[in-house]
Amino acid sequence: AGVDCSADSRPLSVQLEVAIHNPSSFAFLPLGSVEMLIQSADLQPFARCTTVAPIGLPHGNSTIMLTGTINVGQSDANRRAFSGALEKLLAGKPTPLEPSFARVSTALYDSALGGLTVPADLPGLPGGGARIFNRVSLLLDPAANLFELAGRPIWGNSLHDAARLDVTNPFNVTLAVLGLSASVEYEGEAIASVVVPQLLPPVLLPPLWSGVVDRRFPVELDAPIAKLQALLGRLAFGSVAVSLRANITLRTGNLTNLTVAYRQENVSVALGR
């Protein structure tokens, strides 16, 4: 699927390549133009599309092209369903959908197929999913932080620093990041967090863009002193790999306040400027 829209609030356009299997012994020829209503598995609105050109459905396997708009309502249930689809896309997992024939231009087949539902899966992004976070650059002085930790109790230590994020927008659509909450794990333990409930102004990520976001994000390093000392010591000589669990609040096109849960392993963290 490919999506394209500008940074304004117009509905998102969508193009879908649909693989179809007709198990019957006869062909539906010609169907003509077909309009499909696509819903999520729990029957929340997802998209409304039409065929690019008149089609037919031969016996066996075939492929058709659909174009239309993302058609998601503004209720909490609508947004949750669409956010869930984005989460599966990012994780490389299929999303079950419920497409149905809304209209067929050939009257005979319109009567036969109108309202018929044909369950389908929207594949996840290839390669096992997306990698949004390319690199995290911590803006801190390890020597100064180690000195600061030396005068603190063994437990309940925290350091407040900042970071820059090198990210990739895996979608062919402009994303406005409205908020970010993330937990960072190092060697199986939570050691840091980034909490920015509201980004003002929002961070705009152009379609398929990759690069360093021009924003400093607050980071709280919070772990037992021995863990923080080990981490800071390793950062002084190179990068470390962490796991990141995030909730990202987005706006795209006319869809707003979409909160997407995302997890990524082996995120590179190093010192930056």
Side-chain angles (χ1 to χ4, degrees):
V3 182
D4 186 17
C5 83
S6 63
D8 61 26
S9 58
R10 291 178 296 175
L12 298 179
S13 61
V14 62
Q15 290 183 328
L16 300 173
E17 182 180 85
V18 184
I20 296 177
H21 177 68
N22 177 10
S24 67
S25 59
F26 53 88
F28 296 91
L29 297 170
L31 280 181
S33 298
V34 176
E35 182 178 352
M36 302 291 293
L37 177 64
I38 303 175
Q39 297 177 301
S40 64
D42 57 353
L43 303 183
Q44 298 297 323
F46 187 86
R48 197 173 192 97
C49 299
T50 57
T51 52
V52 175
I55 65 165
L57 292 182
H59 170 72
N61 297 323
S62 60
T63 300
I64 64 172
M65 297 297 298
L66 298 175
T67 184
T69 58
I70 298 295
N71 184 35
V72 178
Q74 293 300 317
S75 72
D76 289 343
N78 297 156
R79 288 196 294 269
R80 281 196 302 269
F82 191 72
S83 295
L86 292 180
E87 291 171 5
K88 288 181 178 293
L89 276 172
L90 290 170
K93 299 178 180 179
T95 300
L97 296 175
E98 295 286 327
S100 61
F101 290 89
R103 185 186 63 82
V104 180
S105 63
T106 302
L108 173 64
Y109 292 129
D110 188 53
S111 299
L113 299 177
L116 178 67
T117 297
V118 283
D121 283 340
L122 178 66
L125 293 177
R131 291 189 64 82
I132 293 179
F133 297 95
N134 304 319
R135 186 179 179 89
V136 177
S137 297
L138 281 176
L139 310 178
L140 53 81
D141 182 340
N145 279 338
L146 286 171
F147 179 77
E148 184 179 357
L149 287 174
R152 296 189 179 188
I154 298 299
W155 297 97
N157 302 285
S158 63
L159 298 170
H160 294 83
D161 294 291
R164 291 197 185 276
L165 305 180
D166 186 330
V167 303
T168 292
N169 175 5
F171 297 115
N172 187 22
V173 61
T174 298
L175 298 177
V177 182
L178 308 179
L180 173 65
S181 174
S183 174
V184 181
E185 297 177 2
Y186 173 60
E187 296 182 339
E189 294 184 40
I191 54 96
S193 61
V194 176
V195 180
V196 189
Q198 188 175 22
L199 283 164
L200 295 174
V203 173
L204 293 180
L205 304 179
L208 303 176
W209 180 82
S210 185
V212 178
V213 176
D214 187 20
R215 192 77 59 91
R216 293 166 63 101
F217 291 83
V219 176
E220 181 179 2
L221 296 166
D222 191 358
I225 188 169
K227 194 72 171 183
L228 288 179
Q229 287 174 329
L231 173 64
L232 294 172
R234 289 191 62 183
L235 285 172
F237 296 97
S239 63
V240 300
V242 303
S243 299
L244 194 148
R245 190 191 305 269
N247 286 311
I248 309 169
T249 304
L250 303 169
R251 176 180 65 79
T252 182
N254 64 339
L255 307 176
T256 190
N257 291 327
L258 300 171
T259 299
V260 177
Y262 174 74
R263 183 178 178 89
Q264 183 176 322
E265 306 293 337
N266 296 317
V267 181
S268 177
V269 176
L271 298 180
R273 297 179 179 177

